[in-house]
Amino acid sequence: MSLRTLPLVFINLGGEMLYILDQRLQALNTSEDNSEKVMTDIVGAMFSKDFMDELLKPQQLYSHRTLKTVLTRLAHTSIMRLSQASMDKLYELMVMAFKYQVFLCPRPKDLLLVTYNHIDTIREFVQHTPVVVNQVDETHRKVIEVYSSLPEGEFQLLRQTLLIFLQDLHVRVSLFLKNKVQNPNGRFALLSSGPVPPGIDVPGLIRMFDRKGREVRRGEFPTGGSYTSPIREGCFELHGDRVIRLGMNIYSRNHPEETYISKPPSVKQKDDAPNLLAKEELNLLARLMGSMKAEDMAETETGFRINLFMTDGEEGGTGTSGGAEQSSFEVINIQAIQDEQAATQLARIAGQFTEGDKLPESLSTNKGADLLALMDDL
Amino acid sequence: MYRKEKSIQIKNSASALYNNLGVLRIAPRRLTCFTAVHANVVNMVSASWDGLNYSHRQLQSKEPNVATSTSLIMQAAFCALPSRDLLVVTSQKGIQMYESDGSTMVYWHALDTPETNTVFDVPSKGSNITLADVIEGHKESITDMASECCGGEVCVADLVSADDGGNLCVWKAGEEFSLLNHIPGFDISCSSVKLWKGTAVAGYGTGQIRLYEAVTGILHAEVNAHARWIYSLDVAPFSGLLLSAAEDSLVRVWLLSMSPESHSVEIGHLHNECVTDTQICGAKFCDSDGYAFAVTGYDLSEIIRYTQS
């Protein structure tokens, strides 16, 4: 399958993460300074040259565990701390938003437009910090360079790889349910109406040709849908109107929705038990962690505590609650707390990879065990 | 024209891959075998014709614990050869061949490039399969292949293969395969192709179906069939029924016929089925007359069946 998924995965998932964080920071009247610092720190780490260069190398897409670990680390490059439970819920929300975008993408290459929507909004978040804006622009240029020339078939393969990665996830998101883009069973709504994507003809026409290529007959057939002509194509340059809305910030500041998530009842939890990560996957994890800017983790200003979701109810576990068939939404209390221990462990890992050092070809079993232990402890 | 029957549950949901449904009708045992790919696993279910017995089996790509991308399966298909039936499973790592009930793997071939057709000599029993030929004809990844068994009639074209650029290659089989024709594409992937009475029926990423006379490359018909990428085509050879399925959640049934005056193929629309909120990835007739067909969809853990009413 495709070896070019990682950059798009990180930019889109990271983008969703930033949308949610931004919305909560605003809703809780966090000081302008603190908000901006959090956003700028995370964006700066995510779009750092080293990190992006690692992502842009052709490679496989690994497991959700690896992604979640790296995204947690990214979030922790800011002064904000998230507990494991918070990160789990946040991750599910991010992943479902991304799945919605990939699933409903009109044409495979429109995945790029979705990505650019994320990048455009991220650029706005950090607009007051030119250094970081430059990093975002640089990354955007690299993405354009790498992906613009891929043929549509490659994009479809990329999309299929992503769809396999996102398969069987049916977490219900209250905002999606409310907007009727998701059904109560967790599946996204597919309409058989509306404009066809650019480059596709409205269905319904049959044309027959003679041996010389002249059209001799045409006919129509009932399509069972109501399709209309395509609207204009979005812009694939650094700046421009993307036209499609997938990937834009749905957690608008003007309507601070509480966003609940819940799993559909009686769904078998995807097996998250620690399967042995492939050696290659551990290597990737090490490379990505190592390429992130190593902030001074010991700096302990008072913990930055935010509630990502509503405060009533106990902190939800990660398993499905048995027996809740007709489940009302599990209300989740997510707290971002300063976790001294986690910070120290991460600092230790981060400290092992100082900037500029070459990583060993393969991890010695010791280092591998450390990373595994870290993930078990998180 | 068709009505929905009881669906068959499968162990995992189907992945979004082209032509992601295999169907093998085993008349002597009065059952039909279905396969659907989920990531690195092939889900097989054998359904008895009386609807009473279903037996499941799963075939996994070589490394069971670690689902790395290269062991993801791209397609699983039944190949009905004159002497035996095989289940062929392809991934980026290689080709595996199994007995048609999935019980034993009879052959494994590692792949270097996805742009070549590989030809194997398959004996009627056992695992003495040998690589007979590697034919080059495509510059882009091959997406689908189809062949036609003409019975008593003389067939000019035996095999057609399609690729990601929408190009079709038409071959004559024999001691050596020879390229009869190359039908250029328009940089739009052809995701599925079938051969019927010398006509190559091709489905594209633009949602179009095109009918070409295989040997000459003459375009006989073009249909704006779907609003999204076509994922699967199938032909019922005895009746000329054609099935098309796409990401737009629709399955359409068409009728192909040879017009006696113009000696060219014609296509007419018969029926639509909508699988709500589902991007369809596999659709196949369950018999050569097209009396019944089955459908798989992304994230769907069932095989939906329809029969003529």
Side-chain angles (χ1 to χ4, degrees):
Chain A
M1 305 299 284
S2 178
L3 298 176
R4 297 221 169 268
T5 53
L6 264 188
L8 300 190
V9 170
F10 265 99
I11 294 175
N12 288 305
L13 280 184
E16 289 300 316
M17 181 168 88
L18 289 163
Y19 291 172
I20 299 166
L21 292 177
D22 171 67
Q23 192 253 7
R24 293 316 299 162
L25 289 169
Q26 298 303 319
L28 297 164
N29 294 315
T30 316
S31 79
E32 196 70 38
D33 280 348
N34 268 347
S35 293
E36 215 175 287
K37 180 134 178 46
V38 169
M39 301 300 277
T40 315
D41 283 347
I42 298 178
V43 175
M46 203 165 97
F47 286 80
S48 80
K49 181 175 180 326
D50 288 341
F51 186 66
M52 272 300 155
D53 283 346
E54 279 299 330
L55 291 181
L56 282 163
K57 292 180 185 163
Q59 62 199 312
Q60 303 172 31
L61 183 57
Y62 289 105
S63 65
H64 287 280
R65 288 195 73 188
T66 304
L67 277 193
K68 206 191 294 189
T69 308
V70 180
L71 284 161
T72 309
R73 173 80 174 93
L74 276 173
H76 288 182
T77 57
S78 71
I79 58 176
M80 187 188 62
R81 291 294 171 268
L82 298 170
S83 70
Q84 183 57 25
S86 305
M87 194 60 213
D88 285 347
K89 299 302 175 189
L90 178 59
Y91 186 76
E92 280 180 341
L93 195 49
M94 286 151 54
V95 157
M96 285 311 290
F98 186 39
K99 182 172 182 175
Y100 168 62
Q101 290 150 11
V102 176
F103 185 69
L104 276 160
C105 212
R107 303 170 304 177
K109 76 190 256 209
D110 291 340
L111 266 180
L112 279 188
L113 293 176
V114 172
T115 311
Y116 297 166
N117 270 333
H118 281 109
I119 296 182
D120 289 344
T121 314
I122 290 172
R123 210 184 262 114
E124 278 171 30
F125 285 147
V126 298
Q127 58 187 299
H128 299 302
T129 314
V131 168
V132 181
V133 171
N134 274 343
Q135 284 176 254
V136 175
D137 282 345
E138 246 333 284
T139 303
H140 197 166
R141 274 185 215 109
K142 279 194 207 137
V143 169
I144 291 176
E145 192 188 304
V146 167
Y147 289 93
S148 293
S149 53
L150 288 186
E152 188 89 55
E154 275 295 316
F155 275 112
Q156 183 65 293
L157 186 68
L158 211 164
R159 182 171 171 273
Q160 289 171 340
T161 312
L162 291 175
L163 285 174
I164 291 179
F165 182 69
L166 298 164
Q167 203 157 341
D168 299 324
L169 298 169
H170 300 296
V171 179
R172 294 172 303 185
V173 176
S174 63
L175 195 55
F176 291 156
L177 292 171
K178 177 166 169 240
N179 294 337
K180 302 257 190 284
V181 302
Q182 189 180 28
N183 295 325
N185 62 7
R187 292 167 192 272
F188 295 116
L190 251 190
L191 301 171
S192 47
S193 60
V196 291
I200 293 196
D201 292 315
V202 177
L205 187 62
I206 303 176
R207 300 162 74 201
M208 316 266 208
F209 305 91
D210 66 10
R211 303 192 74 79
K212 297 216 167 61
R214 293 175 298 213
E215 186 183 311
V216 291
R217 196 161 68 242
R218 33 168 79 188
E220 298 203 348
F221 69 90
T223 57
S226 50
Y227 299 105
T228 53
S229 310
I231 45 183
R232 68 195 185 288
E233 197 183 30
C235 173
F236 287 86
E237 305 300 320
L238 205 63
H239 299 281
D241 180 8
R242 312 297 176 193
V243 179
I244 65 170
R245 303 189 63 77
L246 294 168
M248 295 181 81
N249 190 354
I250 56 173
Y251 310 97
S252 157
R253 297 172 174 198
N254 301 323
H255 306 283
E257 306 274 349
E258 295 296 348
T259 309
Y260 308 99
I261 59 172
S262 69
K263 297 196 173 57
S266 70
V267 73
K268 266 221 291 270
Q269 180 77 317
K270 205 169 177 170
D271 189 23
D272 266 331
N275 252 332
L276 240 22
L277 286 184
K279 189 153 148 275
E280 299 90 358
E281 192 167 2
L282 271 179
N283 279 338
L284 170 67
L285 190 52
R287 281 188 284 116
L288 289 178
M289 303 283 250
S291 62
M292 267 190 257
K293 268 188 345 210
E295 289 288 342
D296 183 0
M297 307 292 281
E299 171 187 353
T300 49
E301 287 179 28
T302 36
F304 194 115
R305 181 198 180 104
I306 67 167
N307 292 333
L308 283 188
F309 297 93
M310 277 251 292
T311 49
D312 347 310
E314 67 280 337
E315 195 150 63
T318 44
T320 39
S321 46
E325 292 79 26
Q326 205 63 42
S327 58
S328 55
F329 297 123
E330 220 176 276
V331 178
I332 288 136
N333 174 26
I334 293 175
Q335 297 175 336
I337 50 174
Q338 177 165 38
D339 189 325
E340 198 74 45
Q341 198 191 20
T344 331
Q345 280 182 327
L346 282 170
R348 182 164 57 84
I349 300 294
Q352 286 172 342
F353 304 116
T354 50
E355 248 168 61
D357 279 4
K358 271 250 164 277
L359 291 172
E361 259 314 300
S362 63
L363 292 176
S364 70
T365 39
N366 253 344
K367 284 223 170 111
D370 281 345
L371 277 174
L372 272 176
L374 167 71
M375 286 183 300
D376 286 341
D377 287 345
L378 269 181
Chain B
M1 187 186 170
Y2 284 90
R3 63 164 193 278
K4 196 164 157 198
E5 297 281 351
K6 190 172 118 182
S7 297
I8 305 176
Q9 299 302 316
I10 40 179
K11 297 285 183 199
N12 301 116
S13 58
S15 292
L17 300 162
Y18 303 142
N19 308 298
N20 190 7
L21 175 63
V23 178
L24 183 66
R25 190 166 189 265
I26 308 178
R29 291 164 59 195
R30 302 186 64 75
L31 53 81
T32 304
C33 231
F34 298 90
T35 59
V37 174
H38 170 98
N40 62 336
V41 170
V42 180
N43 289 300
M44 286 182 70
V45 55
S46 299
S48 61
W49 288 359
D50 56 12
L52 295 176
N53 286 313
Y54 297 96
S55 81
H56 296 261
R57 176 175 247 142
Q58 287 185 313
L59 298 174
Q60 208 158 30
S61 234
K62 283 204 136 192
E63 301 119 64
N65 278 334
V66 176
T68 58
S69 293
T70 47
S71 62
L72 288 179
I73 297 171
M74 308 217 48
Q75 197 168 350
F78 286 108
C79 294
L81 305 172
S83 51
R84 71 203 286 200
D85 297 322
L86 285 178
L87 173 64
V88 180
V89 177
T90 59
S91 72
Q92 278 181 324
K93 281 218 169 114
I95 303 170
Q96 297 169 297
M97 299 188 198
Y98 294 82
E99 298 289 1
S100 60
D101 59 1
S103 57
T104 354
M105 175 157 76
V106 294
Y107 189 69
W108 155 255
H109 174 85
L111 267 187
D112 356 275
T113 53
E115 287 99 29
T116 51
N117 282 323
T118 10
V119 184
F120 297 91
D121 261 326
V122 181
S124 52
K125 259 222 277 279
S127 50
N128 190 14
I129 298 173
T130 47
L131 176 63
D133 201 357
V134 174
I135 1 177
E136 309 208 351
H138 287 278
K139 297 211 170 36
E140 326 218 15
S141 305
I142 294 172
T143 48
D144 196 19
M145 291 199 290
S147 61
E148 187 164 34
C149 218
C150 300
E153 293 170 33
V154 174
C155 249
V156 186
D158 291 312
L159 177 75
V160 63
S161 53
D163 69 23
D164 248 349
N167 305 300
L168 303 175
C169 285
V170 183
W171 311 87
K172 177 116 201 84
E175 273 305 311
E176 281 183 13
F177 275 67
S178 54
L179 180 67
L180 292 177
N181 195 11
H182 174 261
I183 304 173
F186 302 89
D187 279 335
I188 309 287
S189 277
C190 173
S191 46
S192 198
V193 70
K194 290 287 170 291
L195 199 53
W196 182 75
K197 298 207 168 156
T199 303
V201 186
Y204 296 86
T206 49
Q208 282 187 325
I209 298 175
R210 289 202 204 107
L211 306 181
Y212 289 99
E213 192 174 281
V215 170
T216 58
I218 294 176
L219 176 68
H220 282 300
E222 182 179 86
V223 186
N224 296 341
H226 289 275
R228 293 283 189 283
W229 208 280
I230 291 179
Y231 260 62
S232 194
L233 289 182
D234 196 27
V235 172
F238 292 170
S239 57
L241 286 173
L242 168 71
L243 207 57
S244 69
E247 279 179 350
D248 61 0
S249 76
L250 288 158
V251 183
R252 305 198 194 275
V253 185
W254 315 82
L255 182 61
L256 301 175
S257 49
M258 294 301 279
S259 134
E261 312 93 40
S262 54
H263 295 291
S264 64
V265 67
E266 298 186 340
I267 179 169
H269 175 260
L270 290 180
H271 184 73
N272 297 324
E273 283 290 342
C274 179
V275 185
T276 320
D277 298 335
T278 305
Q279 292 185 347
I280 303 175
C281 50
K284 274 216 160 53
F285 285 113
C286 299
D287 54 87
S288 322
D289 288 299
Y291 176 70
F293 66 88
V295 169
T296 54
Y298 169 64
D299 246 358
L300 219 55
S301 301
E302 54 185 311
I303 298 175
I304 309 177
R305 287 186 298 177
Y306 302 85
T307 42
Q308 280 185 16
S309 47

